[in-house]
Amino acid sequence: MKKKILLLFLNMAVLTALAQELKSPDGNLSMYFAIQNGGIPMYRLTYKNKEVIKPSKLGLELKAQEFKTDLGVEGDMLQKAMNLHTSLYDKFSISGSEQSAFDETWQPVWGEVKEIRNHYNELSVTLNQNGTERSMVIRFRLFNEGLAFRYEFPQQKNLVYFVIKEERTQFAMTGNHTAYWIPGDYDTQEYDFTKSRLSEIRSLYKTSTTGNLSQTPFSPTGVQTSLMMKTDDGLYINIHEAALINYSCMHLNLDDKNMIFESWLTPDAKGDKGYMQAPCNSPWRTIMVSDDARDIIASKMIYNLNEPCKIEDTSWIKPVKYVGVWWEMITGKSSWSYTDDLPAVQLGKTDYTKVTPNHTHGANTANVKRYIDFAAKNGFDAVLVEGWNVGWEDWFGNSKDYVFDFVTPYPDFNINEIHQYAKSKGVKMIMHHETAASTRNYERHMDAAYQFMKENGYDAVKSGYVGNVLPRGEYHYSQWLVNHYQYAVEKAAEYKIMVNAHEAVRPTGIARTYPNLIGNESARGTEFQAFGGSKPSHVTLLPFTRLLGGPMDYTPGIFEMNISKLNPNNKSHANCTLANQLALYVTMYSPLQMAADLPENYERFADAFQFIRDVAVDWDESEYLEAEPGEYITVARKAKGTNNWFIGNVSGENGFTSKIDFKFLDPQETYIATIYADAADAHYKTNPQAYTIRKVVVNSKSRLIQKSAPGGGFAISIMKVRDSDDLKGLKKL
């Protein structure tokens, strides 16, 4: 053992001594790159002189090329020679390197802040491979909050078209860290997070892999990014990727004997993991590091690694607060389908005028008008309607190619009447396109579907990809599907349509380039509260993981936690308090926010609903006040173009007591804070609807100690005082 430890330290010393070093702008992070024995590219990362990533290998393995030849033995020898050249991970030497610095500030179309600083130091290393005359560039960018690197393949004679068998990027951990992880899967991210040591992933894998309508786990030590970890000495580490374009989604597979993660790409139907044509590049592999958890969730590094906006006129892209005909179907109170008469339907042949309506169909004209009225009365921007179009009777589980046409409504959904009614009320409509993962069918109909939307006043679409993918054998996160999702976003931009894609690949900052991608699901959302429930800690982990790459359409705002009150056959319970649901509008950033519950439940708790009416969906400033993954998050945000602030706190299983300093407020102003909090006896299981509301006067010198219940939280609206009469009877905090 002593010899192994000595050898490890010698290898580290040699790597550091021979390495090219890159430092972050603030000097806290250092990355070392070198070529080790055998021509193997290696890197190492430190933070404030603490090792974060031990010496780790870089490179790819290519698929052996097969071809036909009539050269006999010479041809066989040529084939073998070609197959020897599948390595892009060894026999390299450095032919050149260049360091540079970059610093800019850019303004997002929507976001948590008005301006984003993009500041990094860069090292570009050009490698030549001995014996193949092939070259590869590894580009490193070191930000104050982390490291990013990618592989680049310049145009060259001996590497033109190639197929990736494996990407062999390593992330060697320095110890048996605590991890917050979901199982590696090619088809879904809709899992609850598991907190464990890295060494425990294997034993917990089966119980962590819960059922889903489409899922393909790949390894008992496989996990998905974004992976959040914490070391025993208090470092927070996050591994993810950025700018996933024309490449398959990366997972991580753990060698739990040596504590080394290696990249694991999603294969296609043939088992191949990427078809490439030089010049091209991989996505960025990212490692965020800090001794303060708030730095991780506040980081814009993933966005900064994407290209600037490619949409010239973005005036039509606007944040949206909406309600919809959705939760009543999710809970089983209503149905998506129009009739129960038919075992199967064929589009264009089934005559819906000759069937008996089931009278549970949610997307009927009268019901939709009720939601439009509610939206107009309460200041919401839009109404989503699911189940409006024909085909829902046999849409799932049948590997059906021509499953929806996206333009033909059911008989009880008068699309023109609803269009005119919504327009008269000043409310927009959000279209729903469930594809049943038949991506070829969606692409065939996409132009007609988007044109139909524009003709009927729909500026945004919620798309879905439930079930196993068609073409058969493809996975939700393979290169083919990644390209499909990108195609849908770019095609929508041509029609000035905003996209909210569910069951798609998790976002990696693409919304910087295409800000019409205003939301994704791609994680376990609120719907699972009606499918048996989610862990109370779930919402304290999503900002550390899934949300780093882009906003989530989490669909918060559930006020009735006992789902059986909506559907007696559904015994699920939402594991949260009512105050927790209010806080999510601040802690779970998204420019697309739904008030997901039924209008009648909001009317029952009209005083609490006021916060949802008031809260903004676009921000000038964001301050992360408190954060610990799995335990609590407290965020303050300043509404776009105003001097009003909103604060949200969510807590996990243990509850939390916040200590808030209001120094972020304008010192020249006085504000009225309305505090929506858990009652003293609130608990997510036993008393979730117990809350209090109080108003106090605050300024920049105010301090607040506020308790959150288990699975609870609090929400605060802070409005600038405009009339001194408003202060009468209020106490100063």
Side-chain angles (χ1 to χ4, degrees), residues 166-193:
E166 301 288 350
E167 184 187 312
R168 299 207 174 277
T169 304
Q170 290 187 345
F171 307 87
M173 300 294 100
T174 59
N176 189 17
H177 304 329
T178 297
Y180 306 85
W181 56 276
I182 57 174
D185 196 294
Y186 297 150
D187 280 307
T188 185
Q189 284 202 309
E190 294 178 336
Y191 294 119
D192 249 324
F193 288 92

Short mmCIF file of all heavy atoms in Angstrom, two decimals, residues 166-193:
data_model
loop_
_atom_site.label_atom_id
_atom_site.label_comp_id
_atom_site.label_asym_id
_atom_site.label_seq_id
_atom_site.Cartn_x
_atom_site.Cartn_y
_atom_site.Cartn_z
N GLU A 166 -16.38 4.94 -27.96
CA GLU A 166 -16.46 5.40 -26.58
C GLU A 166 -15.72 6.73 -26.46
O GLU A 166 -14.71 6.94 -27.14
CB GLU A 166 -15.81 4.41 -25.59
CG GLU A 166 -16.39 3.03 -25.58
CD GLU A 166 -17.77 2.94 -24.95
OE1 GLU A 166 -18.20 3.94 -24.34
OE2 GLU A 166 -18.40 1.87 -25.07
N GLU A 167 -16.25 7.60 -25.63
CA GLU A 167 -15.45 8.74 -25.20
C GLU A 167 -14.83 8.37 -23.86
O GLU A 167 -15.54 7.93 -22.95
CB GLU A 167 -16.31 10.00 -25.05
CG GLU A 167 -15.48 11.22 -24.70
CD GLU A 167 -16.31 12.44 -24.37
OE1 GLU A 167 -17.24 12.76 -25.13
OE2 GLU A 167 -16.03 13.06 -23.33
N ARG A 168 -13.53 8.55 -23.72
CA ARG A 168 -12.83 8.04 -22.54
C ARG A 168 -12.32 9.18 -21.63
O ARG A 168 -11.24 9.10 -21.07
CB ARG A 168 -11.68 7.14 -22.97
CG ARG A 168 -12.16 5.91 -23.76
CD ARG A 168 -11.23 4.74 -23.63
NE ARG A 168 -11.75 3.54 -24.26
CZ ARG A 168 -12.61 2.70 -23.70
NH1 ARG A 168 -13.08 2.96 -22.49
NH2 ARG A 168 -13.03 1.63 -24.34
N THR A 169 -13.13 10.20 -21.51
CA THR A 169 -12.80 11.28 -20.59
C THR A 169 -12.94 10.80 -19.15
O THR A 169 -13.97 10.23 -18.77
CB THR A 169 -13.74 12.47 -20.82
OG1 THR A 169 -13.68 12.87 -22.19
CG2 THR A 169 -13.36 13.64 -19.92
N GLN A 170 -11.93 11.06 -18.34
CA GLN A 170 -11.97 10.65 -16.94
C GLN A 170 -12.10 11.85 -16.00
O GLN A 170 -11.63 12.95 -16.29
CB GLN A 170 -10.70 9.87 -16.57
CG GLN A 170 -10.59 8.50 -17.19
CD GLN A 170 -9.40 7.72 -16.66
OE1 GLN A 170 -8.50 8.28 -16.02
NE2 GLN A 170 -9.37 6.42 -16.92
N PHE A 171 -12.74 11.56 -14.87
CA PHE A 171 -12.83 12.51 -13.76
C PHE A 171 -12.46 11.72 -12.51
O PHE A 171 -13.31 11.04 -11.91
CB PHE A 171 -14.25 13.07 -13.64
CG PHE A 171 -14.80 13.67 -14.91
CD1 PHE A 171 -15.45 12.87 -15.85
CD2 PHE A 171 -14.67 15.02 -15.17
CE1 PHE A 171 -15.97 13.41 -17.02
CE2 PHE A 171 -15.19 15.58 -16.34
CZ PHE A 171 -15.83 14.77 -17.27
N ALA A 172 -11.19 11.77 -12.13
CA ALA A 172 -10.70 10.97 -11.01
C ALA A 172 -10.93 11.72 -9.70
O ALA A 172 -10.37 12.79 -9.46
CB ALA A 172 -9.22 10.66 -11.19
N MET A 173 -11.77 11.15 -8.85
CA MET A 173 -12.12 11.78 -7.58
C MET A 173 -10.99 11.62 -6.56
O MET A 173 -10.21 10.68 -6.62
CB MET A 173 -13.41 11.19 -7.03
CG MET A 173 -14.62 11.33 -7.94
SD MET A 173 -15.16 13.05 -8.16
CE MET A 173 -14.45 13.46 -9.75
N THR A 174 -10.97 12.53 -5.61
CA THR A 174 -9.93 12.50 -4.58
C THR A 174 -10.36 11.71 -3.35
O THR A 174 -9.58 11.56 -2.40
CB THR A 174 -9.57 13.92 -4.13
OG1 THR A 174 -10.75 14.56 -3.61
CG2 THR A 174 -9.01 14.73 -5.29
N GLY A 175 -11.61 11.22 -3.33
CA GLY A 175 -12.07 10.48 -2.18
C GLY A 175 -13.47 9.93 -2.41
O GLY A 175 -14.05 10.06 -3.50
N ASN A 176 -14.02 9.33 -1.38
CA ASN A 176 -15.34 8.72 -1.43
C ASN A 176 -16.38 9.78 -1.07
O ASN A 176 -16.98 9.77 0.00
CB ASN A 176 -15.38 7.54 -0.45
CG ASN A 176 -16.64 6.71 -0.60
OD1 ASN A 176 -17.35 6.79 -1.60
ND2 ASN A 176 -16.94 5.91 0.42
N HIS A 177 -16.62 10.69 -2.01
CA HIS A 177 -17.44 11.86 -1.74
C HIS A 177 -18.91 11.50 -1.51
O HIS A 177 -19.40 10.44 -1.93
CB HIS A 177 -17.37 12.84 -2.90
CG HIS A 177 -15.99 13.28 -3.27
ND1 HIS A 177 -14.97 13.37 -2.36
CD2 HIS A 177 -15.46 13.65 -4.47
CE1 HIS A 177 -13.87 13.78 -2.96
NE2 HIS A 177 -14.14 13.96 -4.24
N THR A 178 -19.62 12.43 -0.90
CA THR A 178 -21.08 12.36 -0.84
C THR A 178 -21.63 12.85 -2.17
O THR A 178 -21.22 13.92 -2.66
CB THR A 178 -21.64 13.23 0.30
OG1 THR A 178 -21.15 12.72 1.55
CG2 THR A 178 -23.15 13.21 0.31
N ALA A 179 -22.53 12.08 -2.76
CA ALA A 179 -23.07 12.43 -4.08
C ALA A 179 -24.59 12.50 -4.01
O ALA A 179 -25.24 11.80 -3.23
CB ALA A 179 -22.64 11.41 -5.12
N TYR A 180 -25.14 13.37 -4.87
CA TYR A 180 -26.59 13.51 -5.03
C TYR A 180 -26.86 13.11 -6.48
O TYR A 180 -26.60 13.88 -7.40
CB TYR A 180 -27.02 14.93 -4.74
CG TYR A 180 -26.55 15.44 -3.39
CD1 TYR A 180 -25.27 15.98 -3.23
CD2 TYR A 180 -27.37 15.35 -2.27
CE1 TYR A 180 -24.83 16.43 -1.99
CE2 TYR A 180 -26.94 15.79 -1.02
CZ TYR A 180 -25.66 16.32 -0.90
OH TYR A 180 -25.23 16.76 0.33
N TRP A 181 -27.39 11.91 -6.69
CA TRP A 181 -27.35 11.33 -8.03
C TRP A 181 -28.68 10.69 -8.42
O TRP A 181 -29.50 10.36 -7.57
CB TRP A 181 -26.24 10.27 -8.12
CG TRP A 181 -26.35 9.18 -7.08
CD1 TRP A 181 -25.88 9.22 -5.80
CD2 TRP A 181 -26.95 7.89 -7.24
NE1 TRP A 181 -26.16 8.04 -5.15
CE2 TRP A 181 -26.82 7.20 -6.01
CE3 TRP A 181 -27.58 7.25 -8.31
CZ2 TRP A 181 -27.29 5.90 -5.82
CZ3 TRP A 181 -28.06 5.95 -8.13
CH2 TRP A 181 -27.91 5.29 -6.90
N ILE A 182 -28.86 10.58 -9.73
CA ILE A 182 -29.93 9.77 -10.29
C ILE A 182 -29.31 8.73 -11.20
O ILE A 182 -28.22 8.93 -11.74
CB ILE A 182 -30.98 10.62 -11.05
CG1 ILE A 182 -30.32 11.42 -12.18
CG2 ILE A 182 -31.74 11.53 -10.11
CD1 ILE A 182 -31.33 12.17 -13.05
N PRO A 183 -29.97 7.58 -11.37
CA PRO A 183 -29.38 6.49 -12.14
C PRO A 183 -29.11 6.87 -13.59
O PRO A 183 -29.90 7.60 -14.21
CB PRO A 183 -30.43 5.38 -12.06
CG PRO A 183 -31.27 5.71 -10.88
CD PRO A 183 -31.27 7.21 -10.79
N GLY A 184 -28.00 6.37 -14.13
CA GLY A 184 -27.72 6.56 -15.54
C GLY A 184 -28.76 5.87 -16.39
O GLY A 184 -29.09 4.71 -16.16
N ASP A 185 -29.29 6.57 -17.38
CA ASP A 185 -30.40 6.04 -18.18
C ASP A 185 -30.40 6.73 -19.54
O ASP A 185 -30.24 7.94 -19.62
CB ASP A 185 -31.73 6.27 -17.46
CG ASP A 185 -32.87 5.43 -17.99
OD1 ASP A 185 -33.25 5.64 -19.16
OD2 ASP A 185 -33.37 4.57 -17.25
N TYR A 186 -30.63 5.97 -20.58
CA TYR A 186 -30.63 6.52 -21.93
C TYR A 186 -31.94 7.21 -22.30
O TYR A 186 -32.01 7.88 -23.33
CB TYR A 186 -30.39 5.43 -22.97
CG TYR A 186 -29.06 4.73 -22.88
CD1 TYR A 186 -28.93 3.39 -23.28
CD2 TYR A 186 -27.92 5.38 -22.43
CE1 TYR A 186 -27.71 2.74 -23.21
CE2 TYR A 186 -26.69 4.74 -22.36
CZ TYR A 186 -26.60 3.40 -22.75
OH TYR A 186 -25.39 2.75 -22.69
N ASP A 187 -32.99 7.02 -21.48
CA ASP A 187 -34.32 7.47 -21.89
C ASP A 187 -35.03 8.41 -20.93
O ASP A 187 -36.02 9.02 -21.30
CB ASP A 187 -35.23 6.26 -22.15
CG ASP A 187 -35.00 5.64 -23.51
OD1 ASP A 187 -35.05 6.37 -24.52
OD2 ASP A 187 -34.75 4.42 -23.57
N THR A 188 -34.59 8.50 -19.68
CA THR A 188 -35.32 9.36 -18.75
C THR A 188 -34.41 9.91 -17.67
O THR A 188 -33.42 9.29 -17.29
CB THR A 188 -36.49 8.59 -18.10
OG1 THR A 188 -37.25 9.50 -17.29
CG2 THR A 188 -35.98 7.45 -17.21
N GLN A 189 -34.79 11.09 -17.20
CA GLN A 189 -34.18 11.68 -16.01
C GLN A 189 -35.22 11.84 -14.90
O GLN A 189 -34.97 12.52 -13.90
CB GLN A 189 -33.58 13.05 -16.34
CG GLN A 189 -32.27 12.98 -17.10
CD GLN A 189 -31.45 14.25 -16.93
OE1 GLN A 189 -31.94 15.35 -17.13
NE2 GLN A 189 -30.19 14.10 -16.56
N GLU A 190 -36.36 11.20 -15.06
CA GLU A 190 -37.46 11.40 -14.14
C GLU A 190 -37.32 10.51 -12.90
O GLU A 190 -38.19 9.70 -12.59
CB GLU A 190 -38.79 11.17 -14.85
CG GLU A 190 -39.04 12.22 -15.93
CD GLU A 190 -40.32 11.99 -16.71
OE1 GLU A 190 -40.79 10.84 -16.77
OE2 GLU A 190 -40.84 12.96 -17.26
N TYR A 191 -36.23 10.71 -12.20
CA TYR A 191 -35.95 9.96 -10.98
C TYR A 191 -35.80 10.92 -9.80
O TYR A 191 -35.37 12.07 -9.96
CB TYR A 191 -34.66 9.15 -11.11
CG TYR A 191 -34.70 8.04 -12.12
CD1 TYR A 191 -33.82 8.02 -13.22
CD2 TYR A 191 -35.60 6.98 -12.00
CE1 TYR A 191 -33.85 7.00 -14.14
CE2 TYR A 191 -35.63 5.95 -12.93
CZ TYR A 191 -34.75 5.96 -14.00
OH TYR A 191 -34.79 4.94 -14.92
N ASP A 192 -36.12 10.43 -8.61
CA ASP A 192 -35.77 11.14 -7.39
C ASP A 192 -34.28 11.00 -7.16
O ASP A 192 -33.67 9.98 -7.52
CB ASP A 192 -36.51 10.52 -6.20
CG ASP A 192 -37.58 11.44 -5.62
OD1 ASP A 192 -37.34 12.66 -5.61
OD2 ASP A 192 -38.63 10.95 -5.19
N PHE A 193 -33.68 12.01 -6.55
CA PHE A 193 -32.25 11.95 -6.24
C PHE A 193 -31.99 11.05 -5.04
O PHE A 193 -32.79 10.98 -4.10
CB PHE A 193 -31.70 13.35 -5.96
CG PHE A 193 -31.60 14.20 -7.19
CD1 PHE A 193 -32.65 15.03 -7.56
CD2 PHE A 193 -30.46 14.18 -7.97
CE1 PHE A 193 -32.56 15.82 -8.70
CE2 PHE A 193 -30.36 14.97 -9.11
CZ PHE A 193 -31.42 15.78 -9.48
#
